[in-house]
Amino acid sequence: MIGLAHYLVLSALLFAIGLIGIMTRRNVLMILLCIEIMFNAANLAFVAFAKAWGNLDGQVVVFFIITVAAAEVTVGLAIAILLARQLKTLNVDEVSFLKW
Amino acid sequence: MTIPLPWLSVELFACAWILVLLAADLLLPEARKASLWLWTLAGLGICAILLAGQAIAGGHHLIQQMFLVDPFSRFFKALFLGTAAVVVVMTRPFGRHLAGRLGAFYLLLFTAVLGMLVLASVHDLLMLFLGLELLTFSLYIMAAYLRTEARSIEAGMKYLILGSLSSGFLVYGMALLYGFAGSTHFEAIRHAFEVGPVPPIAVAGLLLVMAGLGFKIAAVPFHLWVPDVYEGAPTPVVALLSVGSKTAGVVALTRLLFGAAPTMAGLWTNVLAGLSAATMLYGNLGAIPQTNIKRLLGYSSIGHAGYLLMGLSAGSQSGVEAVSFYLVAYFVSNLAVFLAVTWAGEQLGSDELEQYNGLSKRSPFLAAALFIGFLSLAGVPPLAGFVGKLFVMLRAVESGRLWLVAIGAVNVAISLYYYLMVIKRMYLDAPPTSTTFRLDRLATVTLSLLLLGVLWLGIVQEPLVRQILVSVRP
């Protein structure tokens, strides 16, 4: 029987994968993907809790998070295109003009 | 369900005005788009009038209790509208960099204002998330707005990546709090904390949400984006980030901690006190070696976040009152400095500190404005910043954290050192060229008003304190 604990463990794993990905990956597109994984970890937790509590609040929040995440990626991709056009790179380590 | 129009009028009007700005940007001929700043100011003015129309005591819960209109939110909404108006004034000299895309810039400014207005009224985690993202997304785009400049693109990218990371923490924390309380509403969460027992996931959820908001305030350890974004982003946007976005973060954090987790005060006051000490030390020590004025102001804004957290860490109503005063003092001082820096940046062609050598001979008014603004930020009496710091430290003494007050006092000395180094450049060093320049009338009037505010709050605190007492007391 798959219960709340299983969902939460999976969600925590997804969150950790996203977090580690953001810290280790250097390509902007991969970083944006990892951010999506983190958001979806939270979505999974919301849905699992909504099922456990038997109310719909959590599921409603998930719809909002999905929409906001889509907007986030749109802005992120626009900036990635700027990077590719102006600086000819998608590697975040190569983009560092701002240093003390 | 009917929509309670009078209590939502400010936000609804802001939504409508965003559409008006969009239409104006599409329909106006290119030559007349320069007047869009007046449209924006007019929109902010009407918002202010609508806000004044709501001035009735007591709180009003709207939209399934998710949205709370009370004196506290009105006080900060007025501050946000003022911030946006000064930022619009700043875009005047800056406008030529935005040529051709000015309309969209003002539209984004207004969406950021809407986000801040919503944040002032949050009473539900979902509303908190939406307000925060509305504000942050607008700022991501505005930070990268100079799209042919590598530094602006880099600023936008860094802000976006670190901002999204902190949003990730925020939503995950929200999910855990929801799992604990069974609702995203602040009242329900508070009730769950009161009844107990409090499992570790609830504590983790609260800390994760605090981390997400700590990013907005630029508190250590979520400060990494600040220096780079401040240096690379357009100066008016930095002013909005530094004053508007930080204030919105503090207000939302206050709402969350006092609205949803007052019984957990033993935990979060200690967390905030620790972060406060680290933030003050990091910001002020980091500012010393800087050679770029915007980067220096970035570090200084981290330092100020530390003082704000010190006030919140008192965990009491009087702590919130001190923070409110500090935010108003920070608003007048920092916006005066940023307005001066925007003009200086345009006239000097760079934000490097070397260019500020001998500024007092090239533009005495600008140098004097920076002089007063910096002294206020450092906390020199009798200026607004001094009173703000005094109030915040008094609250920290009341809560028994003398070590934190000691660190705060040491940081006043450190910050005075690097602010005085800039002042020394302006008044004692030889200017690179002897050309002089003047500000236009609008900037002169705005800057004079802000400086008057700095002096006035430093000498006469009573009217503002009385207003704050009315606003903060439930």
Side-chain angles (χ1 to χ4, degrees):
Chain A
M1 180 62 195
I2 295 175
L4 178 62
H6 295 85
Y7 288 114
L8 291 185
V9 169
L10 178 60
S11 135
L13 279 177
L14 278 176
F15 188 78
I17 291 170
L19 189 60
I20 293 167
I22 292 173
M23 290 191 285
T24 54
R25 291 297 184 138
R26 302 279 43 109
N27 185 302
V28 175
L29 297 179
M30 291 308 287
I31 292 178
L32 288 174
L33 264 177
C34 291
I35 289 167
E36 288 303 294
I37 295 177
M38 284 177 77
F39 273 67
N40 282 317
N43 283 345
L44 183 62
F46 262 116
V47 173
F49 281 129
K51 178 108 173 34
W53 279 100
N55 65 23
L56 289 176
D57 292 20
Q59 302 194 25
V60 173
V61 176
V62 168
F63 281 108
F64 281 96
I65 294 178
I66 291 172
T67 319
V68 167
E72 185 138 44
V73 167
T74 314
V75 177
L77 287 178
I79 293 178
I81 289 174
L82 273 182
L83 277 179
R85 275 210 196 131
Q86 299 283 341
L87 311 173
K88 313 286 180 217
T89 178
L90 280 175
N91 186 324
V92 287
D93 284 343
E94 289 173 27
V95 188
S96 53
F97 304 92
L98 303 168
K99 278 274 161 64
W100 64 342
Chain B
M1 191 188 88
T2 54
I3 297 175
L5 267 176
W7 304 115
L8 274 177
S9 56
V10 184
E11 287 76 15
L12 289 177
F13 176 80
C15 288
W17 202 255
I18 288 167
L19 295 178
V20 169
L21 284 174
L22 179 67
D25 186 34
L26 291 173
L27 299 177
L28 280 182
E30 202 60 44
R32 292 188 50 204
K33 280 192 184 163
S35 68
L36 276 172
W37 70 279
L38 278 173
W39 291 61
T40 317
L41 270 190
L44 292 170
I46 299 172
C47 279
I49 293 169
L50 290 172
L51 189 66
Q54 295 181 345
I56 298 162
H60 294 265
H61 292 270
L62 310 168
I63 328 178
Q64 319 269 332
Q65 313 275 310
M66 287 164 89
F67 199 83
L68 175 62
V69 179
D70 60 1
F72 184 70
S73 72
R74 278 199 296 278
F75 180 79
F76 282 104
K77 281 176 188 177
L79 198 63
F80 294 143
L81 293 175
T83 309
V86 180
V87 171
V88 171
V89 172
M90 280 182 212
T91 58
R92 296 289 297 142
F94 207 79
R96 62 184 177 84
H97 297 288
L98 312 172
R101 294 174 300 135
L102 205 55
F105 188 84
Y106 288 128
L107 193 147
L108 286 169
L109 178 63
F110 229 94
T111 49
V113 169
L114 179 62
M116 293 192 282
L117 292 177
V118 170
L119 270 182
S121 279
V122 288
H123 207 58
D124 185 284
L125 288 175
L126 179 57
M127 208 48 113
L128 174 74
F129 177 62
L130 292 178
L132 201 68
E133 298 300 292
L134 192 56
L135 168 63
T136 319
F137 286 2
S138 315
L139 287 168
Y140 293 156
I141 307 174
M142 287 161 92
Y145 215 74
L146 306 177
R147 60 183 170 190
T148 52
E149 272 189 31
R151 301 191 326 160
S152 179
I153 302 172
E154 185 188 344
M157 186 199 70
K158 284 188 171 161
Y159 192 35
L160 178 105
I161 291 176
L162 291 168
S164 310
L165 179 65
S166 77
S167 297
F169 284 125
L170 181 83
V171 283
Y172 202 72
M174 277 168 50
L176 295 181
L177 282 179
Y178 168 69
F180 165 60
S183 164
T184 53
H185 194 253
F186 282 3
E187 297 289 345
I189 296 170
R190 183 171 79 185
H191 182 71
F193 273 125
E194 274 166 9
V195 173
V198 180
I201 63 154
V203 176
L206 186 63
L207 291 177
L208 282 171
V209 174
M210 281 168 68
L213 290 171
F215 168 84
K216 295 260 59 138
I217 300 173
V220 169
F222 319 104
H223 62 281
L224 291 167
W225 56 280
V226 176
D228 288 348
V229 174
Y230 274 51
E231 185 180 345
T235 317
V237 179
V238 179
L240 187 64
L241 262 177
S242 161
V243 180
S245 176
K246 194 189 291 279
T247 309
V250 172
V251 173
L253 192 61
T254 312
R255 281 265 192 234
L256 173 80
L257 294 178
F258 288 87
T263 46
M264 299 296 285
L267 170 78
W268 56 255
T269 50
N270 285 323
V271 172
L272 289 184
L275 291 184
S276 158
T279 307
M280 282 188 292
L281 284 170
Y282 181 91
N284 288 316
L285 291 174
I288 293 174
Q290 298 309 324
T291 56
N292 180 299
I293 186 125
K294 280 160 76 182
R295 214 175 167 81
L296 182 130
L297 286 170
Y299 279 99
S300 122
S301 100
I302 299 178
H304 287 285
Y307 288 100
L308 293 166
L309 291 181
M310 188 199 284
L312 286 184
S313 77
S316 60
Q317 287 293 332
S318 54
V320 177
E321 288 155 19
V323 168
S324 304
F325 191 96
Y326 196 101
L327 283 170
V328 178
Y330 182 69
F331 160 82
V332 282
S333 324
N334 217 26
L335 281 182
V337 167
F338 269 108
L339 186 56
V341 167
T342 310
W343 268 90
E346 284 310 298
Q347 299 291 336
L348 306 174
S350 153
D351 296 315
E352 294 302 316
L353 276 178
E354 286 170 10
Q355 299 291 326
Y356 282 75
N357 288 357
L359 189 69
S360 63
K361 296 180 187 69
R362 300 181 65 187
S363 177
F365 179 58
L366 211 54
L370 281 172
F371 182 75
I372 297 176
F374 275 154
L375 287 188
S376 172
L377 284 178
V380 174
L383 299 171
F386 165 73
V387 186
K389 284 201 167 70
L390 184 69
F391 283 175
V392 167
M393 286 187 190
L394 284 177
R395 297 302 163 246
V397 171
E398 271 174 21
S399 65
R401 290 194 180 82
L402 288 175
W403 60 274
L404 192 57
V405 179
I407 292 178
V410 168
N411 275 287
V412 171
I414 302 174
S415 69
L416 197 56
Y417 168 73
Y418 63 78
Y419 288 130
L420 283 176
M421 290 304 280
V422 182
I423 291 169
K424 172 187 155 285
R425 276 179 187 280
M426 293 192 299
Y427 280 90
L428 298 179
D429 291 357
T433 61
S434 56
T435 51
T436 59
F437 58 88
R438 298 171 67 88
L439 279 70
D440 72 4
R441 194 175 298 155
L442 180 69
T444 312
V445 171
T446 316
L447 195 50
S448 308
L449 284 177
L450 288 170
L451 292 175
L452 269 180
V454 172
L455 289 170
W456 188 59
L457 286 182
I459 299 162
V460 187
Q461 294 88 26
E462 207 199 332
L464 179 63
V465 169
R466 190 172 292 159
Q467 183 63 41
I468 288 172
L469 287 179
V470 172
S471 304
V472 173
R473 287 277 149 80

